[in-house]
Amino acid sequence: MTLRRNLRAAAAAAALVVMATGCSVVGGGEGSSGASPSAKATPVAGVDPGKVVAKATFPSPLADGATVDVKIHGLHATGRLAVLAVSLTPHVPGGYDDDISPYDVNGDRGLYPYLVDVVNLKRHVVLKDAGGRELGSDDVFTNGRNNTPMYLRYTYAAPPENVSAMDVYIGEWPPFRNIPLER
């Protein structure tokens, strides 16, 4: 009876991690490449594509003349966790029709998104689960298409209550300063 109870608890915990990270257990999850280039991207859970807190366009080393629109859709703290919602929209000239990952857009480098608490001068990195996997979108296996947003989500330890904004660092691009932290 104890083994059965432990298995149920483990299954429930795994389901919670999947829901918290916005991952899909079945194929075709976030940013999957099964759609045509003209299809609309589907945001991951917790990302409101209509809400944009900050945005910028940067050059991308993916190809000559390529750019990427980086949008911060929100930074929200609930209890001891904070969730960052971001989208990347690659723009590659010349009818580029291959799958594109955040890793590709960032010049074959991981995004390594982190937050800086400018009040307490603390850096917040993406949390990891008990298996060592980051609680966030995968830079390599999240696939998108040219001119279509890829919605990404990352979970951090929440800063103290006296922090109302944080700087967001993502990829090789300049930081987004003073992003409001919603509670």
Side-chain angles (χ1 to χ4, degrees):
M1 198 60 89
T2 306
L3 178 61
R4 182 174 286 166
R5 189 174 302 142
N6 289 344
L7 287 174
R8 266 192 229 139
L16 202 93
V17 167
V18 168
M19 289 179 358
T21 60
C23 296
S24 173
V25 177
V26 184
E30 71 188 38
S32 68
S33 61
S36 68
S38 62
K40 291 185 178 182
T42 304
V44 296
V47 178
D48 178 0
K51 176 183 177 184
V52 177
V53 178
K55 64 181 177 178
T57 300
F58 302 110
S60 170
L62 180 61
D64 286 339
T67 61
V68 59
D69 298 335
V70 181
K71 295 180 182 178
I72 307 292
H73 294 277
L75 178 58
H76 186 79
T78 304
R80 296 174 52 188
L81 299 177
V83 176
L84 173 67
V86 177
S87 68
L88 304 177
T89 306
H91 301 287
V92 184
Y96 192 88
D97 196 31
D98 290 341
D99 287 344
I100 301 172
S101 71
Y103 182 83
D104 299 330
V105 171
N106 195 39
D108 295 337
R109 292 183 210 116
L111 294 180
Y112 306 111
Y114 64 93
L115 310 174
V116 173
D117 167 354
V118 295
V119 174
N120 302 296
L121 300 178
K122 300 275 185 186
R123 179 177 170 205
H124 295 249
V125 296
V126 176
L127 292 177
K128 293 183 179 182
D129 66 13
R133 291 177 301 274
E134 288 189 343
L135 298 178
S137 301
D138 191 285
D139 296 343
V140 176
F141 296 109
T142 298
N143 285 312
R145 305 297 280 182
N146 194 19
N147 300 311
T148 304
M150 290 179 276
Y151 294 96
L152 311 169
R153 191 171 170 227
Y154 303 95
T155 303
Y156 304 85
E161 289 291 327
N162 67 333
V163 176
S164 61
M166 299 185 83
D167 290 348
V168 175
Y169 290 77
I170 185 165
E172 296 294 313
W173 307 296
F176 291 89
R177 303 278 185 202
N178 294 315
I179 300 301
L181 177 64
E182 301 173 31
R183 293 194 186 260

